[in-house]
Each structure stands twice: as structure tokens, then as C-alpha cells.
Amino acid sequence: LFFNDTATTEIYTEQIVGSVRCVQETVYNENAYFKFRDIHSLDVLSIDFSPDEKYLATSSTDTTVNILDIKNRNVYHRFTGHRRFATKVKFSPDNKFLATAASDGSIYILDFATKEVYHHFNIACGDISKLCFSPEGFTLIANCNTFNVIVLDICLLYTSPSPRDS
């Protein structure tokens, strides 16, 4: 993938089909894209769109997680709770939560509406390489680099009533 900072943006995608290399070029007007600048001081490790596609979450080796407002092109919220590299971000399917993970095994569940920490897990498994919510959003799966898969029941965190009760 290549971006060119001229009046138009040229995006090249390459796909290998069998032994044939296919290259496709698409040209966009400069108004069709934008850049978020200076949102992290170090490398971005993970990105995830909110289910409604209004927000983009990013995690970084600078330990921060940013939630970017796509329409208004600004930082909606910055989370600074991680002490080590923020390795993963994942929105829940219902857009209620944002899960964040770090290289020290910590997982934060952020309440998206209030921007507050809903729950914090300290999992002794090292670097978390994947986060995934179940389709209904009741369960969060974390994959650790110690070959462990951690299953977190989000419904157990709710004060009553649980979403499963409805």
C-alpha cells in the first residue's frame, strides 16, 4: 500500500493469484482522505473501527490509546492507563465498550459513552497478541504470547441486570 502526498493519492494494491501478480492502481482526489497527525509519539500497533464507523481506536508503543472522531477529524479521547506498550484495541459489537490490552498482560474495558474504565484485568500471561469480542459482545477473548487463550465473561462484570437477562 503506497500513499503519495501530491494533489491526488495513488493507492497500489498487490495480490498474488496463483503465480500471477496483479497490481491495481486507484487514484483519489486529495479531499477523499485525510491524516491524523501527531496522535502518538511512537509506533501504532493496532487499529479498530467502531461498529458504527464513526470512530477509530489506535494503540501504540507510547502506551496510549486514542479514540479518533472520523467526521470531526480530532482525538475524541486519549486513554493513558497502560504502563507498557498498548498492543491491541477492539470495540464491542454493540459499541458500548472498547477493550485495550498491553504488553504486560493488562486489559482495560473502557465504557465508550462515559470514557471511564469499566473494568481492569491483570492477566499474568505476558504480551496480549489478539483481542476478540463474541458476536453478542458478552465475552472477550484474549490470546497471549505464552500460548494461552483467556476467556473473559463481560456479563459477570455488570451490575444487575445482566444483558443476558434481557
Side-chain angles (χ1 to χ4, degrees):
L1 187 61
F2 171 75
F3 290 96
N4 183 357
D5 283 323
T6 60
T8 59
T9 299
E10 298 170 357
I11 300 176
Y12 299 91
T13 55
E14 181 178 329
Q15 180 180 13
I16 306 294
V17 180
S19 60
V20 178
R21 180 175 169 229
C22 305
V23 177
Q24 180 178 2
E25 176 183 346
T26 309
V27 178
Y28 294 96
N29 181 295
E30 67 178 11
N31 295 322
Y33 78 100
F34 62 92
K35 296 178 183 179
F36 284 98
R37 297 190 186 276
D38 304 319
I39 58 167
H40 290 289
S41 60
L42 295 172
D43 295 339
V44 171
L45 297 178
S46 177
I47 57 175
D48 190 40
F49 272 104
S50 62
D52 60 9
E53 297 184 3
K54 294 180 180 178
Y55 299 94
L56 178 69
T58 62
S59 65
S60 171
T61 55
D62 67 8
T63 73
T64 65
V65 170
N66 287 315
I67 302 171
L68 311 172
D69 182 328
I70 301 296
K71 182 179 179 184
N72 295 316
R73 300 180 182 190
N74 61 13
V75 176
Y76 173 75
H77 180 64
R78 176 168 284 145
F79 174 67
T80 59
H82 288 295
R83 291 188 208 112
R84 301 283 310 269
F85 297 166
T87 56
K88 295 294 172 202
V89 290
K90 188 67 180 171
F91 281 98
S92 64
D94 60 5
N95 216 37
K96 288 184 179 180
F97 300 110
L98 175 68
T100 72
S103 60
D104 62 359
S106 65
I107 296 175
Y108 284 89
I109 307 293
L110 306 176
D111 183 309
F112 191 68
T114 66
K115 304 178 192 173
E116 298 292 325
V117 173
Y118 185 76
H119 196 77
H120 174 232
F121 297 95
N122 238 342
I123 300 172
C125 72
D127 186 18
I128 296 173
S129 58
K130 300 276 185 203
L131 283 177
C132 180
F133 276 97
S134 61
E136 76 284 345
F138 298 153
T139 307
L140 179 67
I141 308 293
N143 182 17
C144 303
N145 66 357
T146 55
F147 308 107
N148 291 317
V149 174
I150 309 298
V151 179
L152 304 168
D153 190 338
I154 303 301
C155 288
L156 294 177
L157 305 177
Y158 278 89
T159 55
S160 66
S162 166
R164 284 197 178 126
D165 297 337
S166 52

